[in-house]
Structure formats: C-alpha cells, structure tokens
C-alpha cells in the first residue's frame, strides 16, 4: 500500500461514511486511483467519533506511515472537522468535497425544487458544467435569483465552499478527473462482501484483505492486458495517437483518443506571435462555448491551454492536440505524459521485484525445471487426447502419481519436523528461562466497545432511496442491495454533517 501511495497518492479519497455495525465504529477506507482509473487501497482507519482531534490523529498517523508525503488533492465526504484536520496535517494539499456526497446531500435540501428539472439542470451546471470562473459566477447568480434562494442558509454555505467542489475553480490542482460524479460514485459503490451487525474486527480484516486482493488482481489483469495487446482504434495509428497507444494504459488511451477526435473538428485563429511564441484561439466549429486560448512556444514545444485540462486530469486537451499537430509535432512532448497514467507507472516496482526474486535462491532454482515439466506434461496430454484408452491411462496414472507424491512428501516433512522438534528440545534444555513467561507476555486483545456515533440509529431515507424503494417494507435482499457496502452500512445520506 505504501508502494501504491508513492505512485498514485497524488489523489486520495478519505471516506468516513461507513460503519462496522457490531461496535458502531466508523470505518474509513483511504483510497486512490490507479493507472487504469480503478480503485487502489492506501489504508483503512477505525475511528470512534468525528472530532477534529480524531481526524488529525488518523491523518497524521497515515502521513507518518507513508513516509511524510502529501497528496495534491484529498477528497472527503464532509467538511467541518475534516477541513481543520487537513489544514494542519496536509497544509499543501487541496481539500475537496466528494461531489457524489454533495449531490446526495443537496437533493435533501431542495425541498419543492426537487421535482423541478430545470432547477436541477441549473444546479448541475454550476457543479460540474462550467469551464471558467466567470461562467460559474454568472450561472450561480442566475440560479439564486431565479429560484429566490438569496436567503437560503444552505446555499449560502455551499457558495462559501465553492472552491472545494466547483470544477471550474479546481483546475489548478491535479484531481485525476475524479471530480465528476460518475467517478466518485464508482468509488463509493465498491459492493462486494456485505458487512452486517455481527461483523467483528477480525471478520472485517478478512473482508479488507479480500477487497485488496480483488482490486490487485484486477490491476494485475489490466496491466497484463496493456503489456500484451494494443488498443484498437478507428483512427489510423500515426503520430500522436500511435504514441498515446504506446505509452498510456488502455483506459487513459481512450480518454486521449476522445480528445484527439475532437481536435479534428477544431478551428484555429492565430492572434499574434512574438519571439517563437504563438497565441491562438481554438474552438470547435460553431461552438463559442468551447473557445480557449492556447499558447505555444516553438523553442521547447511547450503548450498551455486556458481550459487547464492537463493540469487537472493529466492528459492534453483537444485544443492543445490541434495546435501541436499544426506545428507538425507527432509525439506527445515528454512533459505532458505523466508517469502515473502510463503502462510503466509501476515499472520500478516490477524491476525491484524481479531483482528480489533473482536474489531468492530457492524459487529461481525450480523455475527452469517447472517449465520443462510443464512442456513435457503438455506434450503428453496432446499425445493422449485423441483416444479414450490413452486418456484413461493418463488420468489414472496422474491419480496414482498424486497419491504417491503426497505419501513421499508427508514422509519427508515428518522427518523434517522431528528433526526440528529435537533441535528445539535440546535448545530448551540449554535455556534456563522458563518458557511459560513468553506465553504470559502475549496480551489479550479485547473487542472495542460499541460507539454511540451520531446519526446512526434513526436512519432517515434519502431522496434516491425513497425513489427506489417507495413505501414498501424492506426485504432482506433490498437491505443487502440498498444500504450495505463492502465496509459496512452507509450512514444516512441526509445526515447534515457535510457542512
Ligand atoms: Zn484546452
């Protein structure tokens, strides 16, 4: 996990919405995004309350465990105490609110406007639909005056926190693109093993390990796919698209490909040029809203766009791609390929593991023998597969071999055990310290007491749940699908703790 944090820790999600029911502790997984845009686990904390000191303790313990580095962006489901703790522990990180939690919380505040689709569109536009600050301010003012929300405390508070959620105001800090609600939602819906009210801490540890193993297997599969196959594309594999397929993972290649496709439909206008610097206006044909200012420096092929896509998500926007192409640049300049999105994000880890396994004498000794035997076995199977008699022969001989191998192995292992216990006995005789003392030193770990955290017992259904479940009595299946998650039951979504 420390290794993963080193590579992917630039964006970290700290989610405190889960409860392990038996003790009612808050279970807070600390999650990131890997090069395939899938979840990666950095750690997990159990906390009894949501006080500033508690968050401070968790974050500083986590910081210490990962060697003191700070994420560029840290996403949380709530503001109040968390923001104070983050400022203290991660002073250089940008604190942001998970847009998924924000939308859930917002819906419960809409009142009568909940059914007004025009209002909801206007609200969503303010959240994620604006590109510039001016556009956001304009849209926000119109929404507030149209729906007479000038004196609404919740909307006032939301506005005061705009830098923590508005996508138009968050472009200077890298966020790996997770500000979109879809990504955030997927991070919050890692449904797998269902924790229930009898889940103990040891049970939980198993769930945690299973989750990490599953995520790592998925990552391994995706890595394998990337290193063994090329992505397909309808575009001819030339220039930057070819280069993107070579360097990026297949998921990121798709995002780059989309930008590339948009770049084809761009119209450009050179505003002026001086000393090798070119200043352009680039937009999609007949689309004023897409217009951006692009600056290109001939000397070092550096490029900057006012949409700040690269700064925010880590790959070039269509405005930049179009201008680089116009200047006959056929490769993505190195500085615009960030390691964490490439197929080689973990290359140094693989290299080190190879070195480590090379140093381990015993496993390497078996590898050539194993490969030879696999080939021999495979050839034999191919030889036998056509006739029933040969098939039966190989199956019965395999069974016999299996039994015989077990007998021999068991005999050898028993001999080793006997030798080891004899050695231990002779050591014991030499040792004057009584062994019972070591046994007594093992501490007994007691279960934690049940915590009385806020908003737990009287659970109010949120808007989305009401929509899904209506007034029907919950069945067992509904409970499993609706409100339990991998890390326990999700807290009330109407819980006003967000801010
Ligand atoms: Zn751009």
């Amino acid at each position: 996990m420390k290794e993963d944090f080193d590579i992917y820790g630039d964006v970290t999600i700290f989610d405190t919405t889960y409860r392990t029911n038996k003790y009612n502790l808050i279970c807070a997984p600390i999650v990131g995004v890997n090069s395939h845009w899938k979840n990666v686990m950095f750690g997990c904390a159990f906390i009894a309350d949501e006080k500033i000191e508690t968050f401070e303790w968790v974050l500083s313990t986590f910081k210490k465990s990962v060697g003191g580095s700070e994420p560029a962006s840290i996403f949380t489901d709530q503001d109040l105490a968390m923001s104070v703790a983050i400022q203290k522990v991660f002073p250089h990180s940008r604190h942001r609110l998970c847009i998924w939690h924000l939308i859930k919380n917002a819906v419960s505040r809409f009142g009568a406007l909940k059914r007004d689709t025009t209002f909801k569109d206007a609200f969503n536009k303010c959240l994620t639909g604006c590109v510039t600050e001016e556009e956001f301010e304009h849209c926000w003012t119109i929404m507030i005056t149209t729906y007479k929300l000038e004196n609404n405390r919740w909307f006032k508070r939301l506005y005061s926190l705009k830098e923590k959620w508005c996508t138009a105001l968050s472009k200077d800090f890298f966020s790996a693109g997770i500000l979109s609600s879809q990504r955030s939602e997927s991070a919050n819906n890692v449904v797998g093993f269902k924790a229930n009210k009898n889940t103990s801490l040891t049970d939980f540890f198993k769930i945690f390990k299973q989750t990490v193993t599953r995520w790592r297997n998925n990552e391994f599969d995706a890595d394998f796919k990337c290193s063994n196959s090329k992505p397909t594309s309808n575009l001819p594999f030339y220039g930057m698209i070819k280069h993107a397929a070579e360097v990026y993972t297949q998921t990121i290649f798709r995002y780059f490909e989309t930008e590339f496709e948009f770049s084809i439909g761009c119209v450009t206008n050179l505003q002026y040029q001086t000393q090798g610097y070119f200043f352009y206006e680039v937009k999609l044909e007949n689309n004023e809203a897409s217009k951006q200012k692009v600056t290109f420096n001939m000397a070092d092929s550096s490029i900057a766009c006012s949409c700040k896509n690269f700064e925010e998500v880590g790959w070039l926007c269509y405005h930049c791609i179009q201008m680089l192409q116009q200047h006959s640049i056929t490769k993505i300049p190195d500085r615009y390929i960030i390691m964490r999105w490439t197929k080689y994000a973990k290359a140094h880890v693989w290299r080190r593991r190879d070195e480590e396994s090379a140093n381990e004498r015993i496993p390497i000794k078996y590898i050539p023998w194993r490969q030879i035997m696999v080939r021999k076995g495979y050839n034999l199977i191919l030889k036998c597969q056509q006739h029933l008699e040969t098939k039966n022969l190989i199956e019965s001989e395999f069974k016999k071999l299996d039994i015989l191998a077990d007998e021999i192995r068991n005999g050898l292992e028993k001999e080793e055990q006997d030798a080891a216990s004899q050695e231990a006995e002779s050591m014991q005789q030499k040792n004057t310290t009584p062994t019972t003392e070591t046994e007594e030193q093992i501490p007994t770990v007691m279960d934690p007491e049940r915590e009385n955290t806020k908003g737990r017992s009287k659970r109010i259904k949120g808007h989305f749940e009401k929509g899904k479940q209506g007034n029907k009595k919950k069945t067992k299946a509904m409970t499993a699908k609706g409100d339990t998650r991998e890390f326990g039951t999700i807290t009330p979504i109407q819980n006003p703790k967000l801010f």
Side-chain angles (χ1 to χ4, degrees):
M1 286 179 199
K2 284 162 83 170
E3 239 158 32
D4 280 332
F5 187 82
D6 272 349
I7 303 164
Y8 304 122
D10 45 9
V11 171
T12 299
I13 306 157
F14 183 46
D15 191 344
T16 58
T17 48
Y18 300 98
R19 298 288 183 277
T20 51
N21 293 3
K22 195 167 179 183
Y23 322 103
N24 204 21
L25 286 171
I26 297 160
C27 162
I30 304 169
V31 175
V33 183
N34 69 17
S35 58
H36 310 284
W37 230 44
K38 291 274 186 292
N39 295 323
V40 59
M41 189 76 78
F42 297 147
C44 190
F46 283 103
I47 44 178
D49 57 57
E50 291 158 286
K51 291 180 189 151
I52 296 173
E53 311 86 82
T54 314
F55 286 141
E56 226 180 286
W57 173 81
V58 173
L59 294 174
S60 54
T61 308
F62 177 71
K63 188 178 174 180
K64 197 174 150 195
S65 75
V66 293
S69 45
E70 294 184 31
S73 292
I74 180 160
F75 286 83
T76 69
D77 55 292
Q78 56 172 309
D79 187 50
L80 290 171
M82 190 72 89
S83 97
V84 181
I86 288 173
Q87 264 170 28
K88 274 194 182 169
V89 183
F90 294 121
H92 305 104
S93 302
R94 178 80 173 259
H95 176 212
R96 292 175 179 184
L97 294 170
C98 268
I99 219 144
W100 186 76
H101 290 293
L102 187 99
I103 290 171
K104 290 235 156 189
N105 189 275
V107 170
S108 66
R109 306 285 181 153
F110 287 170
L113 290 170
K114 205 152 63 183
R115 280 174 211 91
D116 189 332
T117 46
T118 330
F119 165 74
K120 280 204 274 191
D121 287 346
F123 185 73
N124 285 335
K125 168 95 178 161
C126 292
L127 280 184
T128 55
C130 299
V131 178
T132 62
E133 188 171 351
E134 296 75 45
E135 190 186 0
F136 162 73
E137 294 294 347
H138 177 71
C139 290
W140 183 267
T141 314
I142 288 181
M143 180 184 77
I144 294 293
T145 43
T146 313
Y147 296 95
K148 300 188 173 52
L149 296 165
E150 292 90 342
N151 298 319
N152 184 306
R153 276 178 57 209
W154 190 82
F155 278 90
K156 273 189 186 168
R157 177 84 181 124
L158 186 64
Y159 182 78
S160 73
L161 294 169
K162 60 184 177 180
E163 261 136 34
K164 292 190 175 175
W165 52 264
C166 175
T167 48
L169 307 172
S170 313
K171 290 179 175 290
D172 292 328
F173 275 70
F174 183 69
S175 71
I178 66 165
L179 276 171
S180 73
S181 57
Q182 291 85 353
R183 179 63 187 83
S184 191
E185 185 165 10
S186 79
N188 279 289
N189 280 294
V190 278
V191 187
F193 186 98
K194 310 292 189 299
N196 59 44
K197 62 180 177 183
N198 297 318
T199 308
S200 67
L201 284 184
T202 37
D203 290 335
F204 178 81
F205 186 68
K206 281 185 208 154
I207 300 169
F208 182 74
K209 272 177 76 175
Q210 281 165 357
T211 308
V212 173
T213 309
R214 199 177 64 249
W215 288 4
R216 284 185 185 159
N217 286 342
N218 291 343
E219 189 181 4
F220 184 77
D221 289 346
D223 280 343
F224 184 80
K225 198 175 150 200
C226 285
S227 58
N228 286 284
S229 62
K230 259 191 176 181
T232 52
S233 175
N234 292 327
L235 298 163
F237 269 115
Y238 288 103
M240 264 190 271
I241 205 77
K242 181 172 176 247
H243 189 207
E246 282 163 7
V247 293
Y248 288 133
T249 61
Q250 298 205 4
T251 315
I252 304 306
F253 172 77
R254 286 285 163 245
Y255 295 120
F256 186 86
E257 188 190 33
T258 307
E259 296 292 338
F260 193 92
E261 284 166 342
F262 273 110
S263 80
I264 299 166
C266 279
V267 285
T268 64
N269 182 10
L270 177 64
Q271 304 277 290
Y272 61 98
Q273 75 176 84
T274 171
Q275 296 169 343
Y277 284 90
F278 294 77
F279 298 86
Y280 293 97
E281 259 183 9
V282 184
K283 62 169 188 176
L284 292 168
E285 191 187 5
N286 301 326
N287 185 338
E288 277 309 301
S290 69
K291 192 196 276 178
Q292 298 293 337
K293 287 182 168 36
V294 177
T295 316
F296 175 71
N297 178 6
M298 191 76 134
D300 60 0
S301 304
S302 61
I303 194 156
C305 179
S306 53
C307 82
K308 293 188 178 166
N309 190 74
F310 175 73
E311 288 83 347
E312 191 190 1
V313 299
W315 55 84
L316 288 173
C317 61
Y318 58 87
H319 311 103
C320 289
I321 295 173
Q322 166 63 240
M323 292 332 302
L324 289 173
Q325 296 230 91
Q326 279 198 21
H327 285 269
S328 300
I329 290 169
T330 54
K331 284 203 158 191
I332 308 164
D334 282 350
R335 71 180 76 188
Y336 303 116
I337 300 172
I338 57 170
M339 198 58 169
R340 60 124 54 237
W341 290 137
T342 67
K343 295 177 189 177
Y344 316 106
K346 273 194 158 172
H348 66 277
V349 179
W350 300 332
R351 256 199 308 277
R352 211 202 51 237
R353 285 197 189 144
D354 284 349
E355 281 163 16
E356 275 168 9
S357 69
N359 292 334
E360 282 174 31
R361 195 170 42 85
I362 300 170
I364 206 94
K365 193 173 89 178
Y366 291 126
I367 292 170
W369 180 82
R370 208 167 55 199
Q371 281 169 346
I372 292 165
M373 290 312 289
V374 166
R375 206 172 301 136
K376 277 185 181 175
Y378 186 66
N379 288 340
L380 193 62
I381 291 164
L382 288 181
K383 207 188 275 179
C384 297
Q385 67 183 358
Q386 281 180 344
H387 305 287
L388 190 62
E389 290 79 0
T390 46
K391 270 168 78 180
N392 287 341
L393 173 76
I394 201 165
E395 279 179 28
S396 68
E397 290 303 312
F398 264 137
K399 263 183 209 160
K400 275 187 213 164
L401 268 177
D402 197 19
I403 295 165
L404 205 59
D406 276 345
E407 280 172 15
I408 296 170
R409 258 165 40 114
N410 290 343
L412 290 171
E413 275 167 17
K414 199 175 174 305
E415 274 174 32
E416 279 169 17
Q417 274 170 10
D418 289 347
S421 57
Q422 264 178 17
E423 199 180 323
E425 241 171 66
S426 66
M427 287 289 284
Q428 223 172 56
Q429 280 162 7
K430 279 182 205 164
N431 198 347
T432 50
T433 325
T435 47
T436 45
E437 201 167 285
T438 1
E439 279 163 23
E440 278 166 13
Q441 281 170 0
I442 298 168
T444 314
V445 180
M446 303 296 286
D447 275 345
E449 291 197 357
R450 193 177 159 76
E451 283 301 329
N452 199 10
T453 46
K454 52 183 169 176
R456 176 68 187 85
S457 52
K458 285 180 189 163
R459 190 170 184 282
I460 315 152
K461 272 185 213 162
H463 170 72
F464 290 110
E465 277 180 289
K466 277 181 189 163
K468 269 185 209 162
Q469 296 170 357
N471 294 323
K472 279 184 219 160
K473 209 179 161 213
K474 269 193 207 170
T475 62
K476 209 176 172 186
M478 274 174 164
T479 316
K481 271 191 180 170
D483 51 14
T484 55
R485 293 290 184 272
E486 196 141 22
F487 303 105
T489 310
I490 230 152
T491 35
I493 52 177
Q494 271 183 309
N495 191 345
K497 70 175 180 180
L498 186 67
F499 38 74

